[in-house]
Amino acid sequence: MSLSFERTQSVAILGGGPGGYEAAIAAAQLGAEVTLVERAGVGGSAVITDVVPSKTLIATADAAVAIKGASDLGVQLFAKTADGKPLKPEIAINLTAVNKRLLSLARQQSDDMRASLVEAGVKIISGHGRLEGENAVVVSTGPGGTDFDRIEADTLVVSVGASPRELDSAKPDGDRILTWTQLYDMRALPEHLIVVGSGVTGAEFAGAYMNLGSKVTLVSSRDQVLPGEDADAAAVIERVFKRGGMTLLAKSRADKVENTGSGVVVTLSDGRTIDGSHCLMAVGSIPNTAGIGLEQAGIQMTESGHIQVNRVARTSVPNIYAAGDCTTFVPLASVASMQGRTAVFHALGDVVIPLERRRITSNIFTAPEIATIGWQEKDIEEGLIAAVVHKLPLAANPRAKMMGIKDGFVKLIARQGSGSVVGGVIVGPRASELIYPIAIAVERRLTVDQMSRVFAVYPSLSGSITDAARAMHVVDHTIYGA
């Protein structure tokens, strides 16, 4: 459907990541004249250097784990010597081939997205863009480079993403001290990878390289890995990491990282040192908002450089919107995409549903995965919501038994009084897929009884969701009150 305008509306988009891409597609669908400015390639860092390649690497690590665990299911792999005696082969990871494949997939995804934009009629300009006032984008050959184009538009959308945060005392060099965008240049598995930072990025890469066969040490400044996440989920991941041979250093802060030429030395704040072959710095990210004319256009920013936006992705300037990791909203690719669409719908007068943080599904691609939606158990403990929790271990699920799954659980959170589902956590294989029915329940305000009446395939991992909902049917107390 396209909207009817007195004249054709124009939209200029700065940045072609998930937010910019979706904004461009949506604007073209609504009949606007659309121009997209992108410096690295359509898809942005999410596709080219971040989400797509990292999750491809994790998929390879998952395959290695599956092969290693196949013997538990009765599948045995043997090679034979010349005299016919069996040899148990070792799994070898060709990291050069792995990295070549994942970068190729990332580029292919970028090319596919570009083709979709071209087919939709979007004009794509390659270069570095910056705002010039409230209604124009200027494109140059690079920061401080020669200007070669100027686009005037009724609506501007800024979706410039973020980059890895760098510390002066641990400056990434692309050789031994690395950011997550530089990992894919390695030609062999690191003998001993020290990961500084135990948030989502640090935990994902630490688990992946452990499963690929590297010795891994994870340095965390907090009490546990994944601070801020569901405590039960974090405990499962810690247990799996330790069982896999990873060294976890809790309450440890890295003060300095040095490249010795043949390895790295990480110095902790208490004076201890750790020797390794490589160090991954996973200490957060910073928005790519410096020097692109945002302040001059009157856009309100935070001290960290993030763009202040409301629930329809609008900035403090009425015709300028922003989407993705450069904003104050949730830094997820799926959120960036939804922000991009919402921004354009709002700007061009289409139906808009403001974004609600409590209805955003997120996933951590560790092994097992951690997926969450809505209110969490810590919110109940802090008195933010009156709700009850029910948790079922996946090990009790018949399909999990068949698959040899020992770690993980399903946790449902329902509002006290109405029984409506307000949150959930899933820890297990493909949790990113299994969380979807709980997300629908949260979005549509379904009760646990309504969820329990949905037929789940038997046997299936999703059956644990139904089982948890059925277990929460307590008529006389807890949920419904006596």
Side-chain angles (χ1 to χ4, degrees):
M1 181 190 79
S2 62
L3 297 179
S4 176
F5 303 114
E6 292 183 4
R7 64 176 181 82
T8 302
Q9 296 288 299
S10 55
V11 178
I13 300 163
L14 191 57
Y21 170 80
E22 288 292 343
I25 289 290
Q29 288 175 336
L30 296 179
E33 182 181 283
V34 188
T35 303
L36 174 70
V37 179
E38 171 55 44
R39 61 179 181 174
V42 176
S45 61
V47 169
I48 298 172
T49 61
D50 191 356
V51 180
V52 170
S54 67
K55 276 44 177 181
T56 305
L57 177 75
I58 291 168
T60 301
D62 290 344
V65 170
I67 294 172
K68 292 176 184 176
S71 60
D72 294 338
L73 305 182
V75 179
Q76 297 179 329
L77 303 175
F78 287 101
K80 292 183 179 180
T81 61
D83 57 1
K85 293 183 178 179
L87 289 174
K88 189 173 183 179
E90 294 183 359
I91 296 173
I93 302 297
N94 183 338
L95 194 64
T96 299
V98 171
N99 286 341
K100 181 180 179 181
R101 174 178 179 267
L102 62 86
L103 290 176
S104 174
L105 286 175
R107 180 53 60 184
Q108 180 183 337
Q109 179 65 19
S110 176
D111 291 344
D112 289 345
M113 293 172 71
R114 182 183 183 89
S116 296
L117 290 174
V118 171
E119 184 178 354
V122 175
K123 180 182 179 182
I124 303 172
I125 300 177
S126 298
H128 290 246
R130 70 179 188 277
L131 300 191
E132 188 176 79
E134 301 178 7
N135 292 101
V137 172
V138 174
V139 188
S140 64
T141 54
T146 304
D147 296 343
F148 64 85
D149 209 341
R150 185 176 187 276
I151 306 106
E152 293 187 357
D154 302 302
T155 299
L156 304 182
V157 180
V158 180
S159 182
V160 292
S163 299
R165 178 168 168 252
E166 298 182 4
L167 304 180
D168 291 335
S169 60
K171 206 71 175 174
D173 55 24
D175 176 31
R176 297 280 179 178
I177 306 173
L178 309 165
T179 68
W180 61 81
T181 65
Q182 298 169 330
L183 287 170
Y184 313 114
D185 294 328
M186 290 192 296
R187 297 189 176 183
L189 281 176
E191 182 181 344
H192 180 190
L193 179 65
I194 302 171
V195 179
V196 177
S198 63
V200 173
T201 300
E204 286 184 345
F205 279 113
Y209 279 97
M210 177 189 75
N211 290 332
L212 288 171
S214 294
K215 177 182 178 182
V216 176
T217 297
L218 181 59
V219 180
S220 173
S221 62
R222 308 291 284 274
D223 293 344
Q224 64 173 34
V225 300
L226 299 171
E229 298 296 330
D230 180 86
D232 292 336
V236 171
I237 296 303
E238 280 200 358
R239 185 168 64 247
V240 171
F241 281 177
K242 291 177 180 178
R243 192 170 66 216
M246 188 185 301
T247 300
L248 299 180
L249 300 180
K251 296 183 180 179
S252 301
R253 186 177 296 276
D255 272 358
K256 183 172 63 174
V257 182
E258 297 174 281
N259 183 341
T260 64
S262 59
V264 295
V265 176
V266 177
T267 303
L268 304 181
S269 56
D270 61 6
R272 288 179 295 163
T273 60
I274 313 164
D275 296 321
S277 63
H278 297 78
C279 179
L280 168 64
M281 297 299 297
V283 289
S285 60
I286 57 173
N288 300 323
T289 54
I292 60 172
L294 300 177
E295 295 89 347
Q296 293 83 349
I299 296 175
Q300 290 183 4
M301 316 275 288
T302 65
E303 289 185 6
S304 60
H306 290 85
I307 302 170
Q308 293 273 16
V309 293
N310 62 15
R311 290 173 58 198
V312 294
R314 199 179 202 177
T315 71
S316 55
V317 179
N319 70 304
I320 301 179
Y321 296 75
D325 292 6
C326 64
T327 74
T328 50
F329 215 63
V330 182
L332 294 171
S334 58
V335 174
S337 297
M338 192 66 78
Q339 277 183 299
R341 295 183 66 82
T342 301
V344 167
F345 288 164
H346 186 267
L348 300 185
D350 202 351
V351 176
V352 175
I353 300 176
L355 301 179
E356 171 58 58
R357 288 176 182 263
R358 295 291 180 186
R359 296 181 182 179
I360 295 172
T361 305
S362 63
N363 193 74
I364 301 172
F365 289 86
T366 45
E369 294 180 5
I370 302 172
T372 57
I373 174 71
W375 293 90
Q376 297 298 299
E377 195 165 1
K378 63 182 178 181
D379 298 321
I380 303 173
E381 295 168 355
E382 293 171 3
L384 299 178
I385 185 173
V388 292
V389 180
H390 188 79
K391 185 176 81 168
L392 279 180
L394 271 185
N397 180 285
R399 184 67 183 275
K401 289 186 175 72
M402 299 170 194
M403 298 169 67
I405 298 170
K406 300 180 179 65
D407 303 296
F409 60 81
V410 169
K411 179 184 289 187
L412 277 185
I413 301 170
R415 190 180 292 275
Q416 199 162 13
S418 66
S420 59
V421 179
V422 294
V425 182
I426 294 182
V427 180
R430 301 292 186 270
S432 50
E433 313 290 346
L434 290 171
I435 196 69
Y436 191 63
I438 301 179
I440 292 176
V442 171
E443 173 68 27
R444 305 310 302 169
R445 295 184 175 88
L446 301 180
T447 67
V448 289
D449 282 344
Q450 288 172 321
M451 283 196 75
S452 71
R453 289 196 291 268
V454 176
F455 283 90
V457 170
Y458 182 88
S460 68
L461 296 182
S462 60
S464 285
I465 300 173
T466 306
D467 290 343
R470 288 172 178 169
M472 298 179 82
H473 176 69
V474 183
V475 177
D476 58 341
H477 59 85
T478 306
I479 293 180
Y480 298 101

